[in-house]
Amino acid sequence: MTDTIPEIPPAVLALIGVEQHPEESTFAIEMGYVYNTCAAVQNGNPLFWEEAVARELTHGWITPPTMMSVWFRPHYWTPGATGERLALQAHFDLKRLLDLPEAIISGNETVFGEPVRPGDRLRAHQIVRSISPVKTTKLGRGRFWVIDLECFNERGEFVGRDTYDCFGYRRNAS
Amino acid sequence: MSAYRLLTLDQVKEGDELPSLTQHVTATTVVLGALASRDWRPMHHDRDFAINRNGVRDIFINTPNNAAWFERFVTDWTGPRGRLGRMKFRMNDSVFPGDDMVLGGRVTGTSIDAAGCGWVELDLAVSVQGQVKTSCRARVALPVDAADNPWDRHGERWQP
């Protein structure tokens, strides 16, 4: 590998703003993972524990909003699956296409729409919003990029959007 | 149905501090959070991998679990009618077993939007020994009065 970071290929520039990697939630939304999540952080919000409260405030059970990404994470193993299954494929695509072997996600913003309910089937797609010119940071030289993951329920209602700020780079020579 | 906490917008003003939350982090804390969020990556459950491959001192709390801690911290304060609209966070450093993680926060603004929804803006942080590990800005809907319920808002009436 040379130290020169190549120009952004036109095929990569053409991906900006395009919906990619459509996917569906790994399984129908269920409360088991909600209890696991609430237990892991000792979240006693009665919306997730008391059906009467859930009925009064949200017309039935909902799941914690911050669990949105959980529903799209692949199983660790499935019969017949080969290769590593990646949660944010567009990010790993850019690492490869831009020849930047290291990458970090430096920031994340989530906007929450309609609550997710048990039984929902969600769908999502990823959109590369921007790719920066070459930058130098304490980690190395590379490019910043921004990826949105937009999520909808089976009724077509907007459920949320995760925006990832990423930096792909080559390490500084030590 | 048990009584629950109800925080309304008129009870909040800029500069208010949220009650802090301290959690002693163990390996169980980290692994529970990673598996609950379906994050199977080894740096969140395999100490040898974390040390020898990632070059850090131990397994560490994963990002989705970090978000779940912030959500719990916020809704402990608001009660169940508090509805998260937006969260933006930045990870500066990791939280490891043995750390005493402190969640803290401050109100930076309040408003009512054109649809009549009450909003509070929060600056939040996870700190260990006074060092901010993760900072977070959150926008949370609060009822404007005891009869209001932000969860009833949909479509154009919900503008987070």
Side-chain angles (χ1 to χ4, degrees):
Chain A
M1 184 187 301
T2 69
D3 285 329
T4 306
I5 294 176
E7 292 297 309
I8 302 173
V12 176
L13 289 173
L15 292 175
I16 294 174
V18 176
E19 293 180 12
Q20 298 183 73
H21 304 300
E23 59 182 329
E24 292 197 351
S25 46
T26 309
F27 46 86
I29 308 307
E30 46 102 330
M31 290 299 284
Y33 271 103
V34 172
Y35 298 130
N36 284 344
T37 295
C38 289
V41 298
Q42 300 164 31
N43 183 350
N45 189 335
L47 273 183
F48 314 123
W49 296 99
E50 291 193 42
E51 192 165 13
V53 175
R55 269 202 309 270
E56 178 200 330
L57 297 184
T58 53
H59 309 288
W61 294 118
I62 63 167
T63 66
T66 56
M67 288 186 71
M68 190 176 75
S69 68
V70 171
W71 310 117
F72 290 94
R73 290 179 187 276
H75 295 311
Y76 182 71
W77 176 90
T78 52
T82 56
E84 190 178 9
R85 306 183 66 201
L86 301 170
L88 190 62
Q89 185 65 52
H91 172 66
F92 295 94
D93 291 349
L94 288 180
K95 279 180 67 179
R96 177 175 49 81
L97 294 166
L98 297 172
D99 197 14
L100 297 168
E102 312 292 337
I104 59 162
I105 293 177
S106 57
N108 169 243
E109 180 169 21
T110 306
V111 177
F112 304 103
E114 284 296 312
V116 175
R117 298 176 182 277
D120 278 355
R121 290 269 183 187
L122 306 180
R123 59 186 174 79
H125 54 250
Q126 299 165 36
I127 302 176
V128 177
R129 292 297 182 190
S130 62
I131 303 172
S132 80
V134 174
K135 304 280 187 183
T136 300
T137 74
K138 64 181 180 183
L139 291 171
R141 292 185 78 226
R143 297 182 189 276
F144 290 90
W145 55 76
V146 177
I147 299 171
D148 280 349
L149 188 150
E150 295 179 332
C151 180
F152 301 83
N153 62 25
E154 70 269 36
R155 295 173 293 281
E157 297 165 326
F158 174 72
V159 165
R161 180 175 58 250
D162 256 332
T163 299
Y164 296 91
D165 300 321
C166 313
F167 181 58
Y169 62 98
R170 296 179 188 172
R171 284 183 181 159
N172 289 321
S174 54
Chain B
M1 183 170 68
S2 57
Y4 56 77
R5 176 173 168 76
L6 171 61
L7 182 71
T8 51
L9 190 66
D10 59 307
Q11 297 173 288
V12 177
K13 64 180 186 309
E14 186 177 338
D16 284 355
E17 299 277 340
L18 278 65
S20 68
L21 169 69
T22 300
Q23 175 70 35
H24 180 67
V25 175
T26 65
T28 304
T29 315
V30 175
V31 174
L32 267 180
L35 298 189
S37 54
R38 297 174 55 76
D39 188 340
W40 325 117
R41 291 175 300 164
M43 61 283 255
H44 304 304
H45 63 260
D46 182 337
R47 189 166 188 265
D48 284 344
F49 185 98
I51 292 171
N52 296 321
R53 288 286 298 278
N54 286 121
V56 294
R57 67 175 163 91
D58 208 330
I59 58 174
F60 54 93
I61 287 180
N62 67 323
T63 302
N65 188 234
N66 216 332
W69 277 106
F70 277 126
E71 177 175 355
R72 177 256 165 117
F73 177 63
V74 168
T75 56
D76 276 2
W77 175 65
T78 65
R81 287 202 214 177
R83 180 177 176 185
L84 281 175
R86 186 179 286 259
M87 288 175 80
K88 181 171 188 173
F89 56 94
R90 184 159 292 277
M91 290 72 77
N92 302 318
D93 202 353
S94 301
V95 176
F96 300 102
D99 286 345
D100 287 317
M101 172 173 79
V102 180
L103 287 93
R106 191 171 60 87
V107 175
T108 58
T110 63
S111 61
I112 297 177
D113 69 18
C117 186
W119 292 100
V120 58
E121 312 291 333
L122 301 172
D123 271 356
L124 308 169
V126 171
S127 303
V128 175
Q129 293 185 321
Q131 298 277 313
V132 174
K133 302 292 184 176
T134 305
S135 56
C136 173
R137 286 191 171 172
R139 176 168 162 83
V140 183
L142 286 185
V144 294
D145 57 41
D148 185 27
N149 177 13
W151 291 105
D152 283 339
R153 296 183 170 276
H154 307 278
E156 292 301 310
R157 296 181 64 242
W158 177 247
Q159 298 294 331

